[in-house]
Amino acid sequence: MTNIPKTYDFKSTEERLYNWWEQQGYFKPKNQPQNESFDPNVPTYVIAIPPPNVTGELHLGHAMFVAMEDLMIRYHRMCGLSTLWVPGSDHAGIATQLQVEKSLSAEGTNREEIGRTKFLERVWDWKHEYGSKITNQLRRLGASCDWDRERFTLDDGLSIAVREAFVRLYSKGLIYRGPRLINWSPGLKTAVSDLEVEYSQEPGTLYYFKYPLKDSDEYIPVATTRPETILGDTAVAVHPEDKRYQHFVGKTALVPIIEREIPVIADEYVDQDFGTGALKITPGHDPNDYEIGQRHNLPVISVLDRSANVTEVGGPYVGLDRFEARKQIWSDMNDANLTDREEPHMLNVPRTQRGGEIVEPMISTQWFVSMQPLAEAALKAVKEGRIVITPARFEKTYSNWLENIRDWCISRQLWWGHRLPVWYAPDGSLFCAHNEEEAYKQAIEKLGKEITLKQDEDVLDTWFSSGLWPFSTLGWPEETDDLKYFYPTTMLETGYDILFFWVARMIMMGIEFTGQVPFKQVYLHGLVRDEQGRKMSKTLGNVIDPLQVMDEYGTDALRFTLLTGSTPGNDMNLSIERVKANRNFANKIWNAARYVIGKIDAIPQNDSHNELSLADLWIIARLEETCETCTRLLKQHQYSQAGTTAYEFIWGEYADWYIEISKLQLADPNTTEATLRILVDVLDKTLRLLHPFIPFITEEIWQQLKSTCKDRFTPENGWSEALIIAPWPAGKISDASDSVANFNHLTEIIRTIRNARSEHGIANKQKIGATIITSEQSEMISGQRHVLVSLAKIESERLEIKSVDDSSVATDISLVVGTTQIYLDINENVNTEAEASRIENEIEVLESQIERLEKLLDSPFADKAPKDIVEKERHRLTQHRVSRNTLTKRLEELK
């Protein structure tokens, strides 16, 4: 591997390296001897992956969390911790069942026809055939999970955990069964969770009508968006302070068409300014109405059945679909002179995430978890700091939700999922048990005779099993070695959009069943949007397929774009141009590595031990500072800034400056060995810094670097088998601040000269003359004469470096860098007006900076800030004043 190819071929590299990493066991925790328990003295870093749906296709949400979590795992693995990333997938009740039902429909049959047993066989067949697709795609992203510990929310171990959790909660009275208002999906024929409901703004109609009063010609004007639910009204409500309607409170109104008697009530919930200021109350089909009904002890009438057709309480409309009933009722009310008008109105319409049909709030007998007792412990865990949420602003969001939490409907009318561990006797008695045998024992003990039991048909909400994920995947309820060593886990990383539905429930479940928090930290990333900030959707045609992006630009380019473009809790805008730019970054690293490896091959080893040059001292100091900065940022969860810091170092400092200067140093036999050693050391450590972000190209280069120079150069901690397990370069604050400052000044001089050459159209090959006047740094600049000549394209015989301004300089172009004056002689006529304009612009910028610094140093900052910081600002102000004065003098000469 000593002959590194000219270009990096990610297509032939990524799968090969991933398979090698996995075969070598690098994804597994490092501190478990063969057939022995873990060493409890070795610290752990553990993440349980947010389990993607087994039906899933890789999308950018997956790419984001995999890149972020893999970064966390790879970094802590390199830091020497015993790292474990537990992979797995979710059975995704509704989504998976829909997939199989579509297949059955294409065959001309359905689940009812083939029955539950055969249907579940078909679902398992489907899972075995397609279920590994998403996990293989996670591998494609570089996910360094311990695949030997892969779990599935319906595997045997997790099924045991689910039943144990249900039985425990039921035994404590925290699970109960009863009628309540829930979200009902008429198409899926099941209750759905709040998470499975998506709201969209859609055009609708606000219907104004008359609510007649009993034994009176008077009426109350009412507005509704759903006339079909009038059939289920049990009151008309007005605000107690609304003078228009106060005299109606306590009277009896008649439901239009069916003329059922209902009361007129007063409730402060009513908005006097919306519609007519009077509200029809339908507790059976509206959550707000349900709350009002509870306060006023109103009856609850279900006017729609599970197919969203009108029930027998609807009189002449029985059997009609809800939308047909809406039209017919309104028509009949119009004929009866009970309508007023219709107005266009934007509706916030709830639709099921999977089926897409409009959700129907409906009273249904379901199973619920009483959440308040569980929420109190979860609130306390965050308030006491046992769980830290990043970014911190979401702690308030989390607390607000838990403080106002409602009981959780956990039953679903599906066949695919964890069936409720509840059995019923013929007399209606129910028995909650771990299995049927245990339920029979309970029944015989209670009823005193042999009976036939029937298990509840419902399955549990998918989020119930997901709530147990951090500890059930480690073996709970058994006291396994994994549970003892790896629990509580360390980090829960996920999108902020499921903070309530998953994160909070895991915290509640973890504390309830293990007595410990399930994780110590929560990191929330944002959503990935298109480059214009819009949500990606097929309708807008702006969906970016991560698989296609990886096929075209490589996995590392996509990962680096996601990781450096996102900040905690904030959405990010993604453009393909940024991915292309990061593909170019990968190529930049590759070319830098080719240069270094090529020089090691080409230059024989010698015993030179020269003093380090200014460039050597600078790059060593900057490497240490960069390592320290990246480490600090990673510890603070500033992952984007850490990646950007490493990026700017290897591109803007190592490749653009040190490699260019190394070409001069490698031409001198007395400096070759030290220069090569530094080139290798900096490349080695920078590859380590970048590995968690871009694992494939860094490992490929590192292996070739190691193979080329392992017998010639040895890193501080030696060569590891692989970069993935190499020690992390923590870095330190450099004490070579003078070298850094001097080299930065030198590069600024070169950059300023280059800019001037570009502005005046001077060809790159054309050598120019230059006079540099500096009272403070003439010795340093004189020592770097060869660097200036080479990088600024200055003719050596025409370069003068002076410590005193003797005003005898013939010049075409005047420049200033700090207190250093630069005069360029280009042997051409310079446009005096253009040069004067350029200098005036520079003076204007300097005046602005001087004004800002003067204000800063006259403010409390000068007394409160650290002295070294204040002195830096004073020095900067002095330099700006000198630069302004020099340029002003030159401007006067030109004029």
Side-chain angles (χ1 to χ4, degrees), residues 770-840:
T771 300
I772 298 175
I773 301 173
T774 174
S775 59
E776 296 180 3
Q777 293 172 303
S778 60
E779 185 178 348
M780 181 276 291
I781 294 174
S782 297
Q784 301 303 310
R785 183 185 187 92
H786 61 299
V787 176
L788 279 167
V789 166
S790 176
L791 299 189
K793 298 293 189 290
I794 298 172
E795 192 173 339
S796 181
E797 292 77 9
R798 295 168 62 201
L799 172 61
E800 278 193 88
I801 300 171
K802 299 181 177 183
S803 60
V804 179
D805 183 0
D806 56 14
S807 302
S808 61
V809 180
T811 181
D812 296 319
I813 302 171
S814 303
L815 307 168
V816 176
V817 176
T819 58
T820 299
Q821 303 167 45
I822 306 164
Y823 300 99
L824 302 183
D825 177 11
I826 63 175
N827 283 338
E828 292 180 10
N829 291 326
V830 173
N831 185 319
T832 305
E833 286 187 14
E835 178 66 1
S837 176
R838 181 187 68 78
I839 292 175
E840 285 174 344

Side-chain angles (χ1 to χ4, degrees), residues 399-443:
S399 297
N400 286 343
W401 186 73
L402 285 176
E403 286 165 358
N404 298 282
I405 198 166
R406 296 184 177 185
D407 287 355
W408 174 18
C409 176
I410 57 171
S411 48
R412 297 289 179 271
Q413 289 64 55
L414 303 171
W415 286 356
W416 172 246
H418 292 280
R419 197 165 173 181
L420 271 67
V422 174
W423 286 261
Y424 300 94
D427 66 355
S429 301
L430 68 83
F431 303 94
C432 177
H434 295 88
N435 50 57
E436 191 171 13
E437 182 181 353
E438 184 180 305
Y440 270 117
K441 289 180 180 177
Q442 291 180 17

Side-chain angles (χ1 to χ4, degrees), residues 27 193 254 267 302 313 448 532 560 641 643 708 733 746 857 868 879:
F27 298 164
S193 70
L254 299 174
D267 195 283
S302 291
V313 301
Q532 298 176 40
F560 200 73
Q641 292 181 37
T708 304
I733 299 296
L746 177 68
L857 292 168
D868 59 329
Q879 287 185 321

